[in-house]
Amino acid sequence: MPPQEPARRLSSRAVKIGVVSVLSIAVTSACGTKSTTAWCVDRLAPPTGATKGGYKVVPDSYCDRREIENGVVGYGRYFWYYGGKRDRTGYVHGGSYSAPRSHRIKSGSGHSLIRGGFGGHGRSGG
């Protein structure tokens, strides 16, 4: 019977890298996966038919991103409305005037406005 080779052992560096990778994925999954849509809406657009109580979604350029970064509610004609669902007529319903603190915020057009997650908010770069 031939002699058996000793079992291969992983170096401590390989084990550390593996553990760090698994922890990174776990923290990222637990903390940064939820996002909320911020819709730029027109406060004065008239509700019509089934859209009563909703707000008309307008292009993001009408709203001020600094309101999101500073956590304030705009009181002008155009403001950010968080969450809710947009219907086929272009109105959004069921959201909130207040931004959630623990979520990433993206605009209705898909642009990242604030990256939330572990430790708080980060500011948008553009």
Side-chain angles (χ1 to χ4, degrees):
M1 182 176 225
Q4 290 186 337
E5 290 184 36
R8 278 187 36 174
R9 295 180 59 189
L10 295 174
S11 72
S12 62
R13 180 179 294 163
V15 171
K16 287 179 187 174
I17 290 172
V19 169
V20 169
S21 297
V22 169
L23 287 174
S24 300
I25 292 169
V27 168
T28 302
S29 297
C31 298
T33 58
K34 291 187 177 184
S35 68
T36 298
T37 301
W39 303 96
C40 182
V41 297
D42 182 349
R43 184 185 313 271
L44 302 179
T48 59
T51 64
K52 286 192 175 177
Y55 291 103
K56 177 72 175 165
V57 177
V58 296
D60 294 346
S61 60
Y62 285 51
C63 292
D64 188 350
R65 288 185 181 192
R66 290 175 296 187
E67 291 174 357
I68 293 176
E69 293 172 354
N70 296 325
V72 299
V73 176
Y75 291 100
R77 178 173 182 169
Y78 305 104
F79 68 98
W80 295 103
Y81 190 68
Y82 303 95
K85 295 197 185 244
R86 184 177 179 174
D87 66 19
R88 61 181 173 76
T89 64
Y91 280 74
V92 65
H93 308 273
S96 171
Y97 297 103
S98 302
R101 292 266 176 212
S102 61
H103 294 178
R104 291 181 352 198
I105 299 174
K106 62 182 178 114
S107 71
S109 62
H111 293 93
S112 181
L113 300 173
I114 287 188
R115 295 178 186 268
F118 194 71
H121 284 67
R123 295 191 186 264
S124 156

